[in-house]
Amino acid sequence: MFAMRNVPFLLLVLTQLLRAGSALDNGLALTPPMGWMSWQRFRCITDCDTFPDECISEKLFRRSADLLVSEGYADVGYEYVIIDDCWLEWNRDNKTNKLVPDRKRFPRGLNVLADHIHAKGLKFGLYQDFGTKTCAGYPGVIDHMALDAETFANWDVDYVKLDGCYANVSDMATGYPEFGRLLNETGRPMVYSCSWPAYQSGSEQPLFEALKRHCNLWRNWADIQDSFQSVMTIADYFANNQDSMQPHAGPGHWNDPDMLILGNYGLSYDQSKLQMAIWAVLAAPLIMSNDLAKVRPEIKEILQNRDVIAVNQDPLGIQGLASTNRT
Ligand SMILES: *[C@@H]1O[C@H](CO)[C@@H](O)[C@H](O)[C@H]1NC(C)=O
Ligand SMILES: *[C@@H]1O[C@H](CO)[C@@H](O)[C@H](O)[C@H]1NC(C)=O
Ligand SMILES: *[C@@H]1O[C@H](CO)[C@@H](O)[C@H](O)[C@H]1NC(C)=O
């Protein structure tokens, strides 16, 4: 018998079936990814003599993985530990052309770090760039895409953030899908974070149907900075463009307003709550960028608020809308 109470479930199944044909199907990021990433807080600090605790190095990512667990973040869902830019040597290996992690700062290579992160029950993310160089000027993937996808798989990477500096925007609509296809061909499931619309926005309307088919998440807009103004500029962009963006978010494919900056210097207590609340409602990835050893207890409570996280991690994955009569 067809009971009315089954209707919501049937609708859910139907919606999933309709979505299946048009979205990336790697089984990943079925709720918005949660984790920690280096960029907003630690930028491109490479001088480990002067800044031993802050430079982009194996030590920073080991420590952050440890703190995600010991400070209770892992328990509420934070999972990915992601290296952003500045982890590379300036040149590829002259014989193999492979990317080389900085020999001083990652002296044992990335597998050792990946093992440590995995042993903590966490997942490992890594940054690269679609163009000739990363934003900080290290080698990009464009001429070695298959090799780099394979290298990422061999380094046990679980999440790839592909930036878009030093590239032609007009090449992105074919190049980003190509790199996604190569990631898939490695056979290792890797969340694929694309930066392609952030480079288009302003000039062209992002191609959401293609983004959904090829990326698990995509950065829509400018980089976040450590200020309330930056948070609100991004929130306004999302509100003003919600009619075109909102329908395309869902399990496995998310709009990305960039990192959570709570725990740093720029936000007051109330502003910290506001960023967390807006990001939760937007079904945004919850990727912190802060010094986990220095987050004040009251800010940690916001970051670990299970009710707010439950809104963000709702399995239906519906991105919230701003009221249209907002002033
Ligand atoms: C590789 O080649 C570059 C440029 O030709 C050079 O600067 C660099 O020292 C070489 N690296 C090694 C490890 O030989
Ligand atoms: C962009 O395209 C132009 C023309 O095809 C080319 O000369 C240039 O090298 C490209 N730039 C990058 C960063 O790929
Ligand atoms: C590769 O793509 C196929 C088809 O979409 C999918 O079923 C499979 O899970 C993907 N594999 C990986 C490793 O992403």
Side-chain angles (χ1 to χ4, degrees), residues 91-92 94 103:
N91 293 297
R92 287 174 179 270
N94 288 356
R103 292 188 177 88

Side-chain angles (χ1 to χ4, degrees), residues 129-137 142 164-168 199:
D129 189 287
F130 169 63
T132 55
K133 295 176 189 173
T134 72
C135 293
I142 201 153
C165 284
Y166 297 103
N168 285 322
Y199 289 84

Side-chain angles (χ1 to χ4, degrees), residues 110-128:
L110 295 185
N111 283 108
V112 172
L113 178 59
D115 286 350
H116 181 77
I117 289 169
H118 290 142
K120 291 264 156 188
L122 302 170
K123 296 207 163 102
F124 176 41
L126 192 58
Y127 167 103
Q128 244 300 345

Side-chain angles (χ1 to χ4, degrees), residues 57-113:
S57 64
E58 180 185 332
K59 193 175 151 194
L60 174 65
F61 296 94
R62 286 178 82 90
R63 187 180 87 219
S64 299
D66 293 349
L67 286 163
L68 278 179
V69 174
S70 64
E71 294 290 314
Y73 293 95
D75 278 345
V76 297
Y78 294 93
E79 182 178 29
Y80 292 93
V81 179
I82 305 164
I83 306 181
D84 207 285
D85 205 348
C86 304
W87 58 272
L88 285 156
E89 282 285 324
W90 290 110
N91 293 297
R92 287 174 179 270
D93 183 286
N94 288 356
K95 291 206 189 76
T96 63
N97 277 328
K98 282 190 190 165
L99 296 166
V100 183
D102 185 275
R103 292 188 177 88
K104 280 206 194 99
R105 294 179 282 115
F106 297 89
R108 303 189 289 171
L110 295 185
N111 283 108
V112 172
L113 178 59

